[in-house]
Amino acid sequence: NLGLLGAPTAENLLHPSEDFLDSRWLKQPGVSVSSNVVPSVFAGELADRIDWAAATVGTGLYTQNSYIVSAVIKNTKTISIRADIAGGTVDVVDSYLSIGTITHVLSTDWQIVTLSEIQPGGKAGLWVRKTANSPDSIYLAAANIKDMPFATPPIVTAGLPITAPAHKIRSPGCGQL
């Protein structure tokens, strides 16, 4: 504890952040989820496999709910992604109002994909979409939506709001900050 009054806090608005089988994550036609398949970006946790060989390009899975964020400052969406074979791509966009798109080149190592943008409607979501170069499956973990203009380490939620002081957020490979 740094003892700072008004120290910034981060809250992951996305609940749950790790369970992509949950009904709050909508799976478009041809997309299925296998739960707890590979070691997650977080030691001791398991990540989900997204199978979408039968899905069409531009579809995937997304948050059913839109989360309330500022309409005038950037919000930040992050998700950890990996694949069995490097080189394919996926798109990460906001499922409420797609302003920007991150086309991410996949790796066999966990990578955090970050999308920060202003949502003029004051709502945000997260959508991972298949591209023409996507493999038949990918792995996802640690999805976050934060109403702050910069990325912070992922916060894992199991369905309940989690708010953490910025200096106590879990960071893969760094232990406690």
Side-chain angles (χ1 to χ4, degrees), residues 132-146:
N133 298 317
S134 291
D136 290 345
S137 62
I138 60 171
Y139 302 96
L140 299 178
N144 279 241
I145 297 175
K146 297 176 186 160

Side-chain angles (χ1 to χ4, degrees), residues 48-89:
D48 294 350
R49 184 180 66 229
I50 311 307
D51 296 301
W52 55 14
T56 58
V57 170
T59 62
L61 76 160
Y62 62 94
T63 56
Q64 176 177 350
N65 300 326
S66 295
Y67 300 88
I68 304 300
V69 295
S70 171
V72 294
I73 59 172
K74 287 184 178 181
N75 65 81
T76 303
K77 294 157 279 278
T78 59
I79 190 162
S80 296
I81 302 177
R82 81 176 240 340
D84 287 324
I85 300 171
T89 61

Side-chain angles (χ1 to χ4, degrees), residues 17-18 20 39-42 47-48 50 77-83 90 92 104 106-107 109-114 126 128 138-144 153-156 172:
S17 64
E18 292 273 320
F20 299 96
S40 173
V41 65
F42 294 115
D48 294 350
I50 311 307
K77 294 157 279 278
T78 59
I79 190 162
S80 296
I81 302 177
R82 81 176 240 340
V90 296
V92 176
H104 177 71
L106 296 164
S107 169
D109 295 319
W110 285 106
Q111 296 178 313
I112 298 174
V113 181
T114 301
L126 184 61
V128 180
I138 60 171
Y139 302 96
L140 299 178
N144 279 241
I155 299 172
V156 176

Side-chain angles (χ1 to χ4, degrees), residues 9-13 15 144-148 155 161-164:
T9 60
E11 178 182 354
N12 184 3
L13 302 174
H15 314 242
N144 279 241
I145 297 175
K146 297 176 186 160
D147 195 13
M148 48 190 357
I155 299 172
I162 301 288
T163 302

Side-chain angles (χ1 to χ4, degrees), residues 26-49:
L26 294 182
K27 284 63 101 183
Q28 293 180 289
V31 177
S32 63
V33 175
S34 298
S35 184
N36 300 325
V37 175
V38 297
S40 173
V41 65
F42 294 115
E45 296 184 24
L46 296 173
D48 294 350
R49 184 180 66 229

